[in-house]
Amino acid sequence: VSRSIGDVYLKKAEFNREPLYSKFRLREPLKRPILIADPSISVHQLQPHDQFVIFASDGLWEHLSNQEAVDIVQNHPRSGSARRLVKTALKEAANKREMRYSDLKKIDRGVRRHFHDDIT
């Protein structure tokens, strides 16, 4: 996702400035892109026994293993799997910051970016 949409300051020098938070800005001028918008593509032939595909951003995978994500979807098929995945990842993000999930949720989304990456 970041290759196509986010982290534009790592692709073009003109975006490495305000209003981008200073903590994300590069100190040295960007001479060439660090990220490119060309996607990495991997192909997996779906098999008859495959039950579902989980498509998520790196923010989710930063907090959940493949197996944890599979377990969540298998245990709650078709009943808000995506919401459960995101909530579980946010709970783990809060735990890593030694805070409660409810306290993390109270933080404004713009500020919360300092506590965890985008989770999609």
Side-chain angles (χ1 to χ4, degrees):
V1 173
S2 66
R3 289 185 182 188
S4 64
I5 301 170
D7 298 333
V8 73
Y9 71 100
L10 296 173
K11 297 176 214 163
K12 296 185 177 187
E14 62 264 28
F15 293 105
N16 187 32
R17 58 178 171 72
E18 299 244 352
L20 183 66
Y21 292 121
S22 61
K23 83 174 215 172
F24 293 118
R25 276 190 243 133
L26 304 173
R27 292 190 177 125
E28 299 293 321
L30 187 65
K31 293 185 174 111
R32 62 187 179 99
I34 294 171
L35 285 182
I36 57 172
D38 300 330
S40 295
I41 299 173
S42 61
V43 177
H44 172 79
Q45 192 71 30
L46 294 178
Q47 302 298 316
H49 64 273
D50 291 333
Q51 298 174 4
F52 52 84
V53 174
I54 300 173
F55 184 75
S57 66
D58 64 335
L60 182 98
W61 303 118
E62 183 179 324
H63 301 293
L64 295 180
S65 70
N66 289 347
Q67 191 59 55
E68 289 169 323
V70 166
D71 291 344
I72 289 167
V73 175
Q74 279 184 328
N75 292 330
H76 306 283
R78 294 181 186 78
S79 62
S81 296
R83 185 179 307 273
R84 286 178 194 275
L85 288 167
V86 171
K87 185 173 183 177
T88 304
L90 287 173
K91 284 181 177 182
E92 184 58 30
N95 286 337
K96 288 177 181 176
R97 291 296 198 135
E98 298 181 349
M99 60 191 311
R100 293 186 312 237
Y101 168 75
S102 58
D103 292 334
L104 179 68
K105 289 292 288 180
K106 291 177 187 173
I107 299 171
D108 179 62
R109 286 183 182 183
V111 176
R112 207 164 66 200
R113 172 84 170 155
H114 298 286
F115 292 83
H116 65 81
D117 198 2
D118 292 335
I119 300 175
T120 305

